[in-house]
Amino acid sequence: MAEVIIGTGWISVQAEFSTPVMKIGDSGTVKIQFPMYNYSFALEDVLELKLVDQLPEGGRRTNGIGTDKVVIGNFKLDQFGKSKLYLYKQSPPYIVIRLPDLYVVYNHKEASETRQIFAELQGR
């Protein structure tokens, strides 16, 4: 039981102090790096890309981390369905990427960084 409590505590601490990183490779592959929740997809698979200032309400965590500051992992949102979230809660805007089988929602702690990543995604 102590291992579970320590493990859960460590994951929460890590979420508070680690930053998800989105990188766009020359080959058109987008990689999001965060311990235990890495994800990648091809830009050619993107069906919709938008920048929003507000996230939809309603949903549940299926396998992820949710603290006062961050939300990271696998979720099922009422509006989007199956989703992977890499978010700083109070730091809009948010990049919403619709793929064939799920949504990816990402932002950086700094709004200017989020806008820069969005522009780079759009430019590809």
Side-chain angles (χ1 to χ4, degrees):
M1 183 66 159
E3 294 86 11
V4 172
I5 293 170
I6 291 170
T8 303
W10 170 247
I11 290 169
S12 295
V13 168
Q14 190 174 27
E16 289 286 334
F17 296 105
S18 296
T19 300
V21 176
M22 179 182 281
K23 294 182 181 183
I24 305 164
D26 292 335
S27 65
T29 299
V30 178
K31 293 182 180 181
I32 302 173
Q33 299 170 321
F34 188 84
M36 295 179 41
Y37 296 102
N38 291 334
Y39 187 68
S40 64
F41 59 91
L43 277 172
E44 65 188 28
D45 292 338
V46 174
L47 301 174
E48 183 179 10
L49 174 68
K50 59 186 174 180
L51 191 65
V52 301
D53 286 323
Q54 201 165 5
L55 294 172
E57 293 187 27
R60 62 183 167 84
R61 178 177 58 204
T62 58
N63 180 349
I65 302 162
T67 70
D68 290 340
K69 296 180 183 178
V70 297
V71 177
I72 297 171
N74 302 307
F75 291 76
K76 186 166 185 177
L77 302 179
D78 292 348
Q79 185 177 344
F80 296 157
K82 186 177 174 186
S83 304
K84 290 197 173 283
L85 306 180
Y86 301 88
L87 302 176
Y88 288 92
K89 286 182 177 179
Q90 304 302 321
S91 299
Y94 309 96
I95 300 169
V96 178
I97 303 164
R98 184 167 63 99
L99 298 170
D101 57 345
L102 70 108
Y103 281 81
V104 175
V105 186
Y106 176 91
N107 75 332
H108 193 276
K109 191 183 294 187
E110 300 297 327
S112 61
E113 291 286 328
T114 301
R115 287 187 185 93
Q116 182 178 347
I117 293 166
F118 180 74
E120 189 176 345
L121 288 166
Q122 275 189 314
R124 299 277 184 120

